[in-house]
Amino acid sequence: MKNNIEKKLRVKLFVNLILYTLAGYILTVLLDYGFSRVTNSFFLWLQLRIEIFYFLYLVVGFCCFFCHYWKKPWLYFEEVVNATKTVYQLNDSAIELSEPLKDVEKQMNQIKMAVLISQQAVKEAENKKNELVMYLAHDIRTPLTSIIGYLSLLDEAPDMPMEQKSKYVGITLKKAIRLEKLINEFFEIARYNTHQIKLEKTNVDLYYMLVQLIDEFYPVLSAKGNFAILQADEMLTVYGDSEKLARVFNNILKNAAAYSSPDSEILIKAEQQQDKVIITFTNHGSTIPPDQLSTIFEKFNRLDDARKSDTGGAGLGLSIADEIVRLHGGKISADSENNMVTFTVSLPAHF
């Protein structure tokens, strides 16, 4: 960049000097010819000294040119310094510099745009953090309020009938277990984010894993009249950590079971495509809006209806699944349209 500007200034200087010299020379020739045509002693005196005047013309002109172009870099420097002060201003006004600094202008505008985007990202992260704190307070406070309420009733009425006391103790225990589950999920996602999880990869019998998963979810699914169908090759395997992958499929199927329409099927398909194994979970349910679908794998994300209820987890299940799949070098995605929701997991087939 420096050499480019220096080259432009040097070329301009040389061109101006040549033009200035030629202009002076032509003017000198014309004056010499004009003086020779008259007989006035004063013009004759000027004609005899015209070369001296031309020399002085060159000296004065060259000094002015060199002085001007010597100051140019400092003026450019000052211009750039002033422009840097606007880089961090929160506006979309473009930086404008002199013609030789157009490359610098372009780079500074790119920097300013990057700064604006970064500042916007920081602002969005701050808003998201505030929203996250609010959600965390809600998710933890709900069971905690119930625990305190029922324990207060038990404390205030020591002679409460045993049947009622047993009922309140049971509810309190249930809420305490839910609170413990939420806290454990918070710690678990922190472990995945800091990459403290080590994978123990082997060739996993994927078909057997999915069959076992469906059997485990049978009571949950049948409670709403739902059922799961598996379409996969019995010899299908995948390279990964069996325990962690089981957690991925568990979280996805649990999400599908929670949001499926009653008396509908959940289709699970698995097949190998070249060096990848593709697993899809498709269920009937309300179409997820695009804005919610784009953030479905973010931490503490839960759909509006789930957020208003006192059921479900902290909204970490799909986020944990995403972290595990990424650690395996795979990818997880979600699509939803026409009252259908599909989660797709892509994993390496072999080492």
Side-chain angles (χ1 to χ4, degrees):
M1 186 63 62
K2 175 184 175 182
N3 292 336
N4 191 26
I5 296 174
E6 182 181 348
K7 182 179 179 181
K8 289 181 179 179
L9 289 177
R10 188 185 301 119
V11 170
K12 283 188 175 183
L13 175 60
F14 288 162
V15 170
N16 286 329
L17 289 177
I18 292 172
L19 292 176
Y20 181 78
T21 303
L22 288 176
Y25 179 76
I26 293 172
L27 180 61
T28 301
V29 172
L30 292 175
L31 289 175
D32 183 60
Y33 175 76
F35 293 156
S36 66
R37 303 289 293 178
V38 296
T39 58
N40 187 290
S41 60
F42 174 73
F43 289 111
L44 181 60
W45 181 84
L46 289 177
Q47 182 184 12
L48 295 174
R49 292 163 178 79
I50 197 167
E51 293 182 355
I52 297 175
F53 292 133
Y54 179 55
F55 174 75
L56 293 175
Y57 165 85
L58 293 179
V59 170
V60 173
F62 278 34
C63 288
C64 292
F65 276 116
F66 279 112
C67 181
H68 174 75
Y69 281 95
W70 181 81
K71 290 182 178 179
K72 273 285 186 182
W74 299 104
L75 294 175
Y76 290 155
F77 177 75
E78 183 178 358
E79 192 174 349
V80 171
V81 170
N82 292 332
T84 57
K85 297 177 182 178
T86 66
V87 168
Y88 295 96
Q89 291 181 358
L90 297 178
N91 56 59
D92 55 356
S93 60
I95 296 173
E96 295 183 1
L97 300 177
S98 301
E99 181 60 32
L101 300 174
K102 288 302 178 182
D103 291 338
V104 177
E105 175 188 298
K106 181 179 179 181
Q107 292 186 10
M108 292 188 72
N109 280 317
Q110 290 176 348
I111 294 172
K112 183 171 184 177
M113 182 59 65
V115 169
L116 288 175
I117 294 174
S118 176
Q119 289 174 338
Q120 183 65 27
V122 170
K123 184 178 179 180
E124 291 178 359
E126 182 68 20
N127 293 336
K128 204 163 192 178
K129 184 192 72 173
N130 294 335
E131 184 181 2
L132 171 60
V133 171
M134 181 184 66
Y135 283 167
L136 286 177
H138 171 273
D139 285 338
I140 294 179
R141 184 178 60 186
T142 302
L144 186 60
T145 301
S146 298
I147 292 171
I148 294 174
Y150 284 110
L151 288 177
S152 297
L153 290 174
L154 292 170
D155 182 62
E156 293 170 359
D159 56 345
M160 183 182 297
M162 186 58 64
E163 182 178 351
Q164 189 176 6
K165 182 182 293 186
S166 177
K167 177 183 176 181
Y168 287 172
V169 169
I171 295 175
T172 303
L173 178 60
K174 182 180 177 180
K175 298 295 183 180
I177 292 174
R178 170 168 165 73
L179 182 60
E180 181 187 31
K181 180 182 177 181
L182 290 172
I183 294 174
N184 287 337
E185 284 187 346
F186 298 152
F187 279 112
E188 185 168 11
I189 193 62
R191 290 171 61 208
Y192 279 105
N193 283 347
T194 55
H195 302 291
Q196 296 178 0
I197 302 300
K198 292 184 178 180
L199 301 180
E200 298 179 3
K201 294 183 178 181
T202 58
N203 284 322
V204 179
D205 188 336
L206 183 60
Y207 180 83
Y208 176 76
M209 177 183 288
L210 294 175
V211 168
Q212 190 177 34
L213 179 68
I214 293 173
D215 290 340
E216 292 173 356
F217 269 83
Y218 177 78
V220 177
L221 296 173
S222 59
K224 292 173 55 179
N226 299 121
F227 56 95
I229 297 177
L230 175 62
Q231 295 180 0
D233 186 347
E234 295 184 6
M235 303 301 294
L236 186 62
T237 61
V238 67
Y239 185 72
D241 188 312
S242 59
E243 181 182 348
K244 304 299 186 302
L245 291 180
R247 179 66 186 275
V248 170
F249 302 137
N250 181 284
N251 288 349
I252 296 176
L253 187 54
K254 181 167 63 176
N255 185 80
Y259 295 104
S260 287
S261 303
D263 303 315
S264 63
E265 71 174 25
I266 298 175
L267 177 61
I268 304 173
K269 295 177 64 176
E271 60 179 349
Q272 183 169 341
Q273 298 179 3
Q274 297 179 351
D275 60 341
K276 299 287 185 182
V277 173
I278 310 299
I279 308 100
T280 60
F281 293 75
T282 304
N283 67 278
H284 297 264
S286 300
T287 301
I288 303 175
D291 59 329
Q292 295 184 2
L293 195 63
S294 63
T295 60
I296 200 167
F297 296 106
E298 293 183 2
K299 304 173 189 63
F300 310 104
N301 179 75
R302 289 166 64 188
L303 300 183
D304 293 340
D305 293 340
R307 176 62 61 189
K308 296 174 184 176
S309 69
D310 189 33
T311 60
L316 294 172
L318 293 179
S319 179
I320 291 173
D322 182 51
E323 293 286 349
I324 294 174
V325 172
R326 288 179 182 276
L327 288 174
H328 277 81
K331 182 180 179 181
I332 184 171
S333 61
D335 297 291
S336 181
E337 58 181 5
N338 301 325
N339 293 323
M340 300 289 288
V341 180
T342 300
F343 285 88
T344 303
V345 178
S346 173
L347 295 167
H350 307 288
F351 174 72

